[in-house]
Amino acid sequence: MDVKESMMLNFTDPASDQGDCIDHKLSQSFGFTAGWVNTIRSNNGRCLGTFTLYYRENHLPAVQHHRLLETSLKLCALALERDSFINDIERLAYYDSLTMLPNRRLLMMKANSMIANAQRSQSSMAVLFIDINKFKQINDSLGHAAGDLLLSEIARRLQGSVRGNDFVSRLSGDEFVIILSPSSAEQAIAFSERIISKLSEPMMLADVKIAPSASIGIGIYPDHGNDIHSLLLHADQAMYKAKSAGRQAIEVFDQVINDSTNDELTLSLALENALESNQLTLHYQPQIALDDNQLFGVEALARWCHPELGNIPPNRFIPLVREAGLMPKLNQWVLTEACRQMAQWRDSGLAVPRMSVNIFPVAFRDRAIIDLIQSLLTKHGLLPSCLTLEVTEDFILDATDNVISVITEVRQLGVSLSIDDFGTGYSSLSYLLRLPVDTIKLDKSFIDDIEKSESARTLAQSIAGICKSLQLNIVAEGVETDAQLEILRGQGYQIAQGYCFSRPLAPQDLAQWIRGRFLSSDDSERYRISAPKSLP
């Protein structure tokens, strides 16, 4: 036998105690003076353990010991390999290979046991359905390796936040489930708030600073179901309600929510028909240049008036556009309608300087957007400088090399690019240097407190300074009071929009508003032929 595979140890010789798997002092306490240690190996050479013969007298192994060992090592290897194989099978069957959290199968088994315990103790428990916001976008933009890293970190944070009796599992994809036992609805909400705070701690993925966020739905036993299938279903429905309410929302299941979920499906089907039957319209909100109080341009905002359901607010139907995969259709419709309306205004003698159009960033994944813009500008006789495309800040995560190439071609046409809701998502100043951006729109949340909060004023001024250094235009949106306007003007903001000037208006109302505010019989001709103004 290979000397490396076996060794004799003298327990009475301190020099032979090299910290091996044998405890010399313990062995001597049982009256043993020597041991013959042999390595147990698998068929592929992996070390599985050791097999040791102990002696009360210090001597070498006898012949029969060699024969015993030859048989015993094989049997031990078979037994240990079988045990390891069973453990591997159990791990594959019951645990997620990426996060090492229990999977759906183990969740169902454990949940049934926890429900039985809750029933015996007449206590309540909570099932939390957790969905990671914008995970697909992160996964597609930064790569699957970054997505896996994010999921692993989410799993670590969730596992580190629960109590001993609670249970954490990965259901599938970016969906996790936590069972809190015992727990009331109030306790589950408080725990969910702590979880959202914990998950939102920033982390680096592919050199991009990400602050993960989640939407959480809660089902309570026994109020919302007596079995895990019902509790998961209702927690899932509550989660979708939370997701539609905005980032980092928490919802507890309610039958009213369940009914509204069915309404959402009906509404989603109606939305596709709305795009085909011209139920959607555009309203336009003026943007004012603060240096001379003249019209800088207008922003086109989609509106939906259903023939039976009435007005459907954007914060309700825009998420449905994403979920139903209608983003390309809405992008095409908005661009087409905005260009048509701008041409109509100009034909009537109303030269609106610029049109800002909100589009989904998915448009830049395909060069078809370039052809569409070119054809619309040519068809309606518009200059590219009249058109600005607005995308939300999370567009930064979609900025792959291919996307940047398409954006660059769009910019080469002379069309501008604006980042909307700046400061609410995945801000990265390095990406502002990389992307061909012309304008930043400061989110309304920064402006709401600008009169009363020194911190809000400092943040707003800092962003204005950054934009000035990068030679970017900056627009303040959601300006509602004269006091807000004066603060922003003093901080160097160039453009503003909001109810301080006007709410979004239907096309004919906007034309009337412009004529009443800016035009007189003396200057109508000058206004009609003026070119779009470029800010320094």
Side-chain angles (χ1 to χ4, degrees):
M1 181 175 294
D2 188 341
V3 70
K4 295 181 180 179
E5 297 297 299
S6 65
M7 67 178 72
M8 286 298 301
L9 298 178
N10 183 353
F11 301 148
T12 61
D13 181 6
S16 69
D17 189 351
Q18 301 175 358
D20 298 302
C21 56
I22 303 298
D23 187 323
H24 286 218
K25 291 183 179 180
L26 180 63
S27 299
Q28 288 185 73
S29 70
F30 285 105
F32 299 120
T33 62
W36 186 28
V37 184
N38 299 270
T39 302
I40 304 170
R41 293 195 179 277
S42 65
N43 288 330
N44 61 6
R46 182 165 58 94
C47 180
L48 300 175
T50 58
F51 185 96
T52 304
L53 294 176
Y54 291 87
Y55 301 98
R56 296 189 182 279
E57 297 178 358
N58 192 356
H59 62 77
L60 294 174
V63 174
Q64 63 267 29
H65 295 161
H66 281 275
R67 292 175 181 170
L68 173 65
L69 185 68
E70 185 177 353
T71 301
S72 298
L73 286 179
K74 292 179 180 178
L75 292 175
C76 288
L78 287 173
L80 291 173
E81 279 196 299
R82 180 179 180 275
D83 186 61
S84 176
F85 185 61
I86 290 173
N87 289 336
D88 289 343
I89 290 176
E90 183 177 280
R91 189 164 54 251
L92 290 171
Y94 296 112
Y95 290 86
D96 171 54
S97 59
L98 174 64
T99 64
M100 298 311 298
L101 288 178
N103 61 15
R104 177 188 285 270
R105 179 180 294 181
L106 186 53
L107 166 67
M108 305 306 279
M109 294 170 57
K110 182 67 174 178
N112 287 330
S113 173
M114 295 176 77
I115 289 173
N117 290 336
Q119 187 175 23
R120 283 193 296 270
S121 62
Q122 295 185 333
S123 61
S124 61
M125 70 180 214
V127 174
L128 277 58
F129 200 109
I130 303 169
D131 182 87
I132 307 305
N133 297 328
K134 301 183 184 300
F135 174 74
K136 185 178 185 302
Q137 189 174 12
I138 294 172
N139 204 44
D140 291 346
S141 302
L142 302 182
H144 294 288
D148 288 349
L149 182 62
L150 175 61
L151 291 175
S152 298
E153 178 61 17
I154 293 292
R156 187 190 68 80
R157 295 181 185 185
L158 293 179
Q159 187 72 66
S161 302
V162 296
R163 306 164 299 185
N165 292 331
D166 301 331
F167 187 78
V168 185
S169 69
R170 181 188 178 196
L171 200 61
S172 64
D174 61 338
E175 296 174 338
F176 297 83
V177 170
I178 294 179
I179 301 179
L180 303 177
S181 181
S183 176
S184 64
E186 292 76 15
Q187 290 170 328
I189 292 172
F191 175 83
S192 297
E193 290 172 346
R194 293 194 298 272
I195 281 290
I196 282 180
S197 176
K198 182 69 175 177
L199 292 183
S200 66
E201 293 175 3
M203 63 179 293
M204 295 300 296
L205 288 178
D207 297 326
V208 178
K209 191 175 185 179
I210 300 296
S213 67
S215 300
I216 301 179
I218 302 172
I220 301 296
Y221 169 86
D223 298 348
H224 305 145
N226 293 312
D227 59 86
I228 187 58
H229 295 283
S230 299
L231 291 168
L232 277 177
L233 174 64
H234 293 157
D236 187 18
Q237 291 172 343
M239 183 276 294
Y240 272 102
K241 180 66 176 177
K243 207 170 185 69
S244 65
R247 296 187 182 98
Q248 307 199 110
I250 301 166
E251 288 285 347
V252 179
F253 174 78
D254 188 281
Q255 190 58 46
V256 174
I257 295 176
N258 188 37
D259 293 340
S260 69
T261 301
N262 295 328
D263 292 341
E264 293 295 302
L265 177 59
T266 302
L267 204 59
S268 180
L269 296 173
L271 179 58
E272 187 164 8
N273 180 63
L275 280 167
E276 302 293 339
S277 57
N278 294 321
Q279 289 179 16
L280 297 184
T281 58
L282 289 180
H283 282 201
Y284 303 88
Q285 188 169 40
Q287 298 174 328
I288 305 300
L290 299 186
D291 59 346
D292 58 6
N293 290 320
Q294 292 299 304
L295 182 68
F296 178 78
V298 297
E299 179 184 4
L301 300 164
R303 297 292 184 262
W304 181 17
C305 184
H306 190 278
E308 297 175 0
L309 301 176
N311 290 320
I312 312 296
N315 62 0
R316 189 175 181 193
F317 75 79
I318 293 298
L320 293 178
V321 173
R322 294 188 179 93
E323 293 172 14
L326 297 174
M327 293 180 289
K329 281 188 176 181
L330 186 61
N331 280 341
Q332 181 172 352
W333 176 82
V334 169
L335 279 168
T336 301
E337 176 60 19
C339 289
R340 183 203 65 79
Q341 181 60 63
M342 196 169 191
Q344 180 177 316
W345 278 328
R346 294 194 167 200
D347 289 343
S348 67
L350 195 71
V352 174
R354 285 178 180 80
M355 175 76 75
S356 293
V357 180
N358 291 277
I359 65 170
F360 292 97
V362 68
F364 295 115
R365 297 181 187 177
D366 192 336
R367 291 191 73 262
I369 185 70
I370 301 170
D371 297 331
L372 175 62
I373 291 172
Q374 283 181 317
S375 64
L376 289 173
L377 293 176
T378 301
K379 177 180 179 180
H380 297 293
L382 299 173
L383 294 174
S385 56
C386 297
L387 182 62
T388 296
L389 303 183
E390 287 194 10
V391 290
T392 52
E393 187 184 5
D394 53 18
F395 156 74
I396 286 173
L397 287 176
D398 207 28
T400 62
D401 289 341
N402 181 65
V403 167
I404 292 176
S405 175
V406 174
I407 296 171
T408 300
E409 289 193 57
V410 170
R411 287 286 291 108
Q412 287 172 349
L413 294 177
V415 175
S416 299
L417 179 67
S418 174
I419 302 296
D420 197 9
D421 299 334
F422 186 78
T424 62
Y426 302 100
S427 303
S428 176
L429 295 179
S430 62
Y431 271 81
L432 292 181
L433 296 174
R434 185 184 178 200
L435 295 172
V437 176
D438 302 278
T439 303
I440 295 298
K441 293 189 72 176
L442 184 67
D443 186 69
K444 183 180 185 297
S445 60
F446 285 84
I447 297 171
D448 288 339
D449 299 326
I450 202 169
E451 293 180 62
K452 300 177 181 178
S453 170
E454 180 64 30
S455 297
R457 288 193 293 274
T458 300
L459 283 171
Q461 188 158 22
S462 297
I463 293 174
I466 291 170
C467 289
K468 183 177 180 180
S469 299
L470 297 177
Q471 297 183 324
L472 298 174
N473 293 335
I474 183 165
V475 179
E477 62 177 337
V479 182
E480 296 185 352
T481 68
D482 290 336
Q484 291 173 346
L485 185 62
E486 290 310 309
I487 292 171
L488 294 166
R489 194 194 305 272
Q491 291 182 342
Y493 279 74
Q494 302 157 312
I495 311 157
Q497 67 182 92
Y499 278 46
C500 179
F501 303 108
S502 172
R503 61 181 175 82
L505 300 168
Q508 63 275 15
D509 295 330
L510 179 78
Q512 185 177 351
W513 183 88
I514 291 174
R515 290 192 173 98
R517 184 181 180 102
F518 297 108
L519 301 184
S520 66
S521 58
D522 296 332
D523 62 6
S524 59
E525 184 64 25
R526 176 190 62 78
Y527 184 87
R528 184 185 302 118
I529 62 174
S530 62
K533 176 176 62 175
S534 296
L535 291 176

